[in-house]
Short mmCIF file of all heavy atoms in Angstrom, two decimals:
data_model
loop_
_atom_site.label_atom_id
_atom_site.label_comp_id
_atom_site.label_asym_id
_atom_site.label_seq_id
_atom_site.Cartn_x
_atom_site.Cartn_y
_atom_site.Cartn_z
N PRO R 409 18.98 1.42 24.40
CA PRO R 409 19.43 1.43 23.00
C PRO R 409 18.64 0.58 22.06
O PRO R 409 18.47 0.93 20.89
CB PRO R 409 20.91 0.87 23.09
CG PRO R 409 21.31 1.29 24.47
CD PRO R 409 20.06 1.11 25.31
N ALA R 410 18.11 -0.54 22.56
CA ALA R 410 17.34 -1.47 21.66
C ALA R 410 16.02 -0.79 21.10
O ALA R 410 15.50 -1.30 20.16
CB ALA R 410 16.98 -2.68 22.45
N GLN R 411 15.58 0.29 21.79
CA GLN R 411 14.38 0.98 21.36
C GLN R 411 14.63 2.08 20.36
O GLN R 411 13.68 2.70 19.84
CB GLN R 411 13.64 1.46 22.59
CG GLN R 411 13.16 0.41 23.54
CD GLN R 411 12.46 0.98 24.76
OE1 GLN R 411 12.42 2.19 25.01
NE2 GLN R 411 11.93 0.10 25.62
N ASP R 412 15.90 2.40 20.18
CA ASP R 412 16.21 3.60 19.39
C ASP R 412 15.59 3.54 17.93
O ASP R 412 15.05 4.54 17.48
CB ASP R 412 17.73 3.74 19.25
CG ASP R 412 18.37 4.45 20.46
OD1 ASP R 412 17.57 4.98 21.25
OD2 ASP R 412 19.57 4.48 20.53
N GLU R 413 15.72 2.38 17.30
CA GLU R 413 15.30 2.28 15.91
C GLU R 413 13.79 2.53 15.80
O GLU R 413 13.34 3.26 14.94
CB GLU R 413 15.66 0.90 15.34
CG GLU R 413 15.33 0.80 13.85
CD GLU R 413 15.83 -0.55 13.30
OE1 GLU R 413 16.64 -1.21 13.94
OE2 GLU R 413 15.36 -0.88 12.20
N ALA R 414 13.03 1.93 16.67
CA ALA R 414 11.54 2.13 16.62
C ALA R 414 11.14 3.57 16.94
O ALA R 414 10.29 4.16 16.28
CB ALA R 414 10.86 1.21 17.62
N LEU R 415 11.84 4.18 17.94
CA LEU R 415 11.58 5.56 18.24
C LEU R 415 11.95 6.52 17.19
O LEU R 415 11.28 7.54 16.92
CB LEU R 415 12.26 5.90 19.58
CG LEU R 415 11.72 5.17 20.81
CD1 LEU R 415 12.53 5.49 22.03
CD2 LEU R 415 10.26 5.41 21.05
N GLN R 416 13.01 6.21 16.48
CA GLN R 416 13.48 7.00 15.35
C GLN R 416 12.46 6.95 14.24
O GLN R 416 12.15 7.98 13.63
CB GLN R 416 14.84 6.63 14.88
CG GLN R 416 15.41 7.52 13.79
CD GLN R 416 16.72 6.95 13.18
OE1 GLN R 416 16.72 6.23 12.27
NE2 GLN R 416 17.82 7.33 13.81
N ARG R 417 11.92 5.78 14.01
CA ARG R 417 10.89 5.64 12.98
C ARG R 417 9.62 6.46 13.28
O ARG R 417 9.02 7.06 12.41
CB ARG R 417 10.51 4.13 12.79
CG ARG R 417 11.50 3.28 12.01
CD ARG R 417 10.88 2.06 11.48
NE ARG R 417 10.29 1.23 12.51
CZ ARG R 417 10.94 0.32 13.23
NH1 ARG R 417 12.21 0.05 12.92
NH2 ARG R 417 10.35 -0.36 14.12
N ASN R 418 9.26 6.47 14.58
CA ASN R 418 8.09 7.27 14.96
C ASN R 418 8.37 8.74 14.72
O ASN R 418 7.43 9.48 14.25
CB ASN R 418 7.84 7.07 16.41
CG ASN R 418 7.25 5.69 16.82
OD1 ASN R 418 6.78 5.02 15.89
ND2 ASN R 418 7.33 5.33 18.03
N LEU R 419 9.55 9.23 14.98
CA LEU R 419 9.89 10.60 14.73
C LEU R 419 9.87 10.88 13.23
O LEU R 419 9.32 11.93 12.83
CB LEU R 419 11.26 10.95 15.31
CG LEU R 419 11.83 12.35 15.02
CD1 LEU R 419 10.85 13.44 15.47
CD2 LEU R 419 13.18 12.52 15.69
N LEU R 420 10.47 9.96 12.42
CA LEU R 420 10.50 10.15 10.99
C LEU R 420 9.07 10.22 10.41
O LEU R 420 8.78 10.99 9.49
CB LEU R 420 11.31 9.03 10.34
CG LEU R 420 12.80 9.16 10.41
CD1 LEU R 420 13.45 7.89 9.94
CD2 LEU R 420 13.28 10.34 9.53
N ARG R 421 8.17 9.44 10.96
CA ARG R 421 6.77 9.41 10.46
C ARG R 421 6.14 10.72 10.71
O ARG R 421 5.37 11.21 9.88
CB ARG R 421 6.01 8.23 11.16
CG ARG R 421 4.72 7.94 10.55
CD ARG R 421 4.00 6.72 11.15
NE ARG R 421 4.87 5.49 11.05
CZ ARG R 421 5.45 4.90 12.07
NH1 ARG R 421 5.31 5.32 13.28
NH2 ARG R 421 6.21 3.81 11.83
N ALA R 422 6.39 11.30 11.92
CA ALA R 422 5.82 12.58 12.25
C ALA R 422 6.38 13.68 11.34
O ALA R 422 5.61 14.61 10.87
CB ALA R 422 6.12 12.95 13.69
N LEU R 423 7.67 13.60 11.04
CA LEU R 423 8.29 14.60 10.07
C LEU R 423 7.72 14.44 8.68
O LEU R 423 7.47 15.37 8.00
CB LEU R 423 9.78 14.41 10.11
CG LEU R 423 10.53 14.87 11.37
CD1 LEU R 423 11.98 14.34 11.39
CD2 LEU R 423 10.50 16.41 11.48
N LEU R 424 7.46 13.22 8.31
CA LEU R 424 6.90 12.94 6.95
C LEU R 424 5.48 13.50 6.90
O LEU R 424 5.14 14.09 5.86
CB LEU R 424 6.89 11.43 6.68
CG LEU R 424 6.29 10.99 5.35
CD1 LEU R 424 7.08 11.59 4.15
CD2 LEU R 424 6.25 9.47 5.24
N ASN R 425 4.69 13.35 7.93
CA ASN R 425 3.35 13.92 7.93
C ASN R 425 3.45 15.49 7.79
O ASN R 425 2.62 16.05 7.08
CB ASN R 425 2.61 13.54 9.24
CG ASN R 425 2.27 12.09 9.33
OD1 ASN R 425 2.17 11.44 8.27
ND2 ASN R 425 2.05 11.60 10.50
N LEU R 426 4.38 16.07 8.45
CA LEU R 426 4.55 17.58 8.32
C LEU R 426 4.94 17.91 6.88
O LEU R 426 4.43 18.85 6.34
CB LEU R 426 5.61 18.07 9.30
CG LEU R 426 5.93 19.52 9.16
CD1 LEU R 426 4.75 20.45 9.45
CD2 LEU R 426 7.09 19.90 10.14
N ASP R 427 5.86 17.10 6.29
CA ASP R 427 6.26 17.37 4.92
C ASP R 427 5.12 17.25 3.95
O ASP R 427 4.99 18.07 3.04
CB ASP R 427 7.37 16.31 4.57
CG ASP R 427 8.02 16.67 3.24
OD1 ASP R 427 8.80 17.62 3.21
OD2 ASP R 427 7.73 15.96 2.25
N GLU R 428 4.21 16.31 4.16
CA GLU R 428 3.09 16.12 3.31
C GLU R 428 2.12 17.31 3.41
O GLU R 428 1.60 17.76 2.44
CB GLU R 428 2.38 14.79 3.66
CG GLU R 428 3.14 13.60 3.30
CD GLU R 428 2.52 12.29 3.71
OE1 GLU R 428 1.56 12.34 4.51
OE2 GLU R 428 2.97 11.17 3.30
N PHE R 429 1.95 17.84 4.60
CA PHE R 429 1.12 19.02 4.83
C PHE R 429 1.70 20.25 4.12
O PHE R 429 1.02 20.96 3.49
CB PHE R 429 0.96 19.32 6.32
CG PHE R 429 0.19 20.57 6.57
CD1 PHE R 429 -1.18 20.63 6.44
CD2 PHE R 429 0.86 21.73 6.94
CE1 PHE R 429 -1.92 21.83 6.67
CE2 PHE R 429 0.18 22.92 7.16
CZ PHE R 429 -1.20 22.98 7.04
N LEU R 430 3.02 20.43 4.23
CA LEU R 430 3.67 21.59 3.65
C LEU R 430 3.72 21.46 2.14
O LEU R 430 3.86 22.50 1.47
CB LEU R 430 5.10 21.73 4.23
CG LEU R 430 5.17 22.20 5.69
CD1 LEU R 430 6.58 21.92 6.28
CD2 LEU R 430 4.79 23.66 5.81
N SER R 431 3.68 20.24 1.61
CA SER R 431 3.80 20.06 0.17
C SER R 431 2.43 20.11 -0.49
O SER R 431 2.35 20.33 -1.73
CB SER R 431 4.41 18.71 -0.08
OG SER R 431 5.76 18.63 0.44
N ALA R 432 1.34 19.96 0.26
CA ALA R 432 0.01 20.00 -0.32
C ALA R 432 -0.43 21.43 -0.49
O ALA R 432 -0.42 22.20 0.50
CB ALA R 432 -0.97 19.19 0.52
N PRO R 433 -0.94 21.83 -1.59
CA PRO R 433 -1.41 23.26 -1.81
C PRO R 433 -2.56 23.54 -0.89
O PRO R 433 -3.43 22.67 -0.67
CB PRO R 433 -1.86 23.30 -3.26
CG PRO R 433 -1.13 22.17 -3.91
CD PRO R 433 -0.97 21.07 -2.89
N LEU R 434 -2.65 24.76 -0.37
CA LEU R 434 -3.71 25.21 0.47
C LEU R 434 -4.83 25.74 -0.46
O LEU R 434 -4.65 25.98 -1.66
CB LEU R 434 -3.27 26.28 1.40
CG LEU R 434 -2.23 25.88 2.49
CD1 LEU R 434 -1.78 27.06 3.28
CD2 LEU R 434 -2.88 24.81 3.42
N GLU R 435 -5.96 25.96 0.18
CA GLU R 435 -7.17 26.38 -0.62
C GLU R 435 -6.92 27.60 -1.40
O GLU R 435 -7.31 27.73 -2.54
CB GLU R 435 -8.35 26.57 0.33
CG GLU R 435 -9.66 26.87 -0.29
CD GLU R 435 -10.81 27.07 0.70
OE1 GLU R 435 -10.68 26.32 1.72
OE2 GLU R 435 -11.68 27.86 0.50
N HIS R 436 -6.28 28.63 -0.77
CA HIS R 436 -6.07 29.90 -1.49
C HIS R 436 -5.04 29.74 -2.65
O HIS R 436 -5.15 30.45 -3.63
CB HIS R 436 -5.66 31.00 -0.57
CG HIS R 436 -4.25 30.93 -0.04
ND1 HIS R 436 -3.94 30.20 1.11
CD2 HIS R 436 -3.07 31.40 -0.49
CE1 HIS R 436 -2.64 30.28 1.29
NE2 HIS R 436 -2.06 30.97 0.33
#
């Protein structure tokens, strides 16, 4: 349980990276 917060942050960071990719316009 003591590791939950750090592991949740890692997951949130990965989701944020995906969100940034989906929000950035593509070349076309």
Side-chain angles (χ1 to χ4, degrees):
Q411 297 176 353
D412 277 352
E413 186 174 344
L415 294 175
Q416 186 186 89
R417 282 200 304 270
N418 288 342
L419 174 57
L420 281 171
R421 192 175 301 114
L423 288 167
L424 178 60
N425 289 339
L426 174 63
D427 188 74
E428 290 174 349
F429 175 77
L430 289 165
S431 299
L434 294 175
E435 184 179 328
H436 72 270

